[in-house]
């Protein structure tokens, strides 16, 4: 029983490795190209049609020039996703960790993001003031503390 379990896990890991394998633009078929993040059936067909009509791609610049819809940003994204040209990843393509670092922090609240945008529109910073902030009560006015309860009537 244990041998079957280990064999099953090993087979799964081997298949998972194939699912995330790199694909070379000069050797891959449509299914392999479709497996790259950012390439769908339309782009993969363009890549293959251009390769069949004019021969293999020489380098990344040749690939970008010949395939409609592929520019510097898209090529860098595809390279990060595992696409290669003649076995080479795109030079100067940002690493995955660098792309993740450029994303805004998840600790930024919606009200901070909204007030920063409002300040940019109005020409003044409204951060923290509650002005033009749809997330504050009473239509954008700053929230105030609730009033103290009224004293009990004297007898």
């Amino acid at each position: 029983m244990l041998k079957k379990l280990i064999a099953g896990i090993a087979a799964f890991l081997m298949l998972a490795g194939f699912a995330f394998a790199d694909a070379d633009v000069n050797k891959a078929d449509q299914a392999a190209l479709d497996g790259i993040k950012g390439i769908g059936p339309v782009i993969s067909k363009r890549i293959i049609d251009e390769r069949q009509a004019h021969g293999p791609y020489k380098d990344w610049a040749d690939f970008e020039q010949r395939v409609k819809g592929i520019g510097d940003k898209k090529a860098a994204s595809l390279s990060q996703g595992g696409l290669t040209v003649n076995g080479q990843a795109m030079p100067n393509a940002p690493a995955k960790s660098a792309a993740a670092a450029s994303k805004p922090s998840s600790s930024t609240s919606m009200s901070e993001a909204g007030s920063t945008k409002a300040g940019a529109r109005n020409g003044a910073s409204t951060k923290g003031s509650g002005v033009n902030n749809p997330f504050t009560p009473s239509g954008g006015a700053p929230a105030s503390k609730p009033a103290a309860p009224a004293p009990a009537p004297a007898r």
Side-chain angles (χ1 to χ4, degrees), residues 113-140:
S115 64
T116 304
K117 289 177 185 174
R121 281 191 307 257
N122 298 333
S125 175
T126 58
K127 186 174 183 178
S129 69
V131 177
N132 293 329
N133 188 343
F135 300 106
T136 58
S138 68

Side-chain angles (χ1 to χ4, degrees), residues 82-154:
L83 189 68
T84 61
V85 177
N86 293 324
Q88 299 295 314
M90 184 176 185
N92 301 324
K96 286 186 180 184
S97 59
S102 69
K103 290 183 180 178
S105 169
S106 62
S107 65
T108 302
S109 70
M110 290 297 291
S111 61
E112 288 175 352
S115 64
T116 304
K117 289 177 185 174
R121 281 191 307 257
N122 298 333
S125 175
T126 58
K127 186 174 183 178
S129 69
V131 177
N132 293 329
N133 188 343
F135 300 106
T136 58
S138 68
S144 60
K145 292 183 180 178

Side-chain angles (χ1 to χ4, degrees), residues 19-126:
F20 299 111
D22 292 345
D24 191 289
V25 74
N26 288 320
K27 299 174 184 172
D29 60 2
Q30 189 163 3
L33 291 171
D34 285 344
I36 301 292
K37 182 179 179 185
I39 296 181
V42 173
I43 297 289
S44 62
K45 183 170 179 3
R46 285 182 195 159
I47 292 169
I48 292 171
D49 288 348
E50 179 63 28
R51 182 179 70 199
Q52 289 174 344
H54 298 102
Y57 300 99
K58 296 175 188 137
D59 53 25
W60 279 96
D62 183 42
F63 173 66
E64 290 175 34
Q65 183 180 12
R66 288 171 49 187
V67 180
K68 181 181 174 185
I70 305 290
D72 288 337
K73 287 183 180 181
K74 182 75 170 180
S77 172
L78 297 176
S79 179
Q80 284 180 340
L83 189 68
T84 61
V85 177
N86 293 324
Q88 299 295 314
M90 184 176 185
N92 301 324
K96 286 186 180 184
S97 59
S102 69
K103 290 183 180 178
S105 169
S106 62
S107 65
T108 302
S109 70
M110 290 297 291
S111 61
E112 288 175 352
S115 64
T116 304
K117 289 177 185 174
R121 281 191 307 257
N122 298 333
S125 175
T126 58

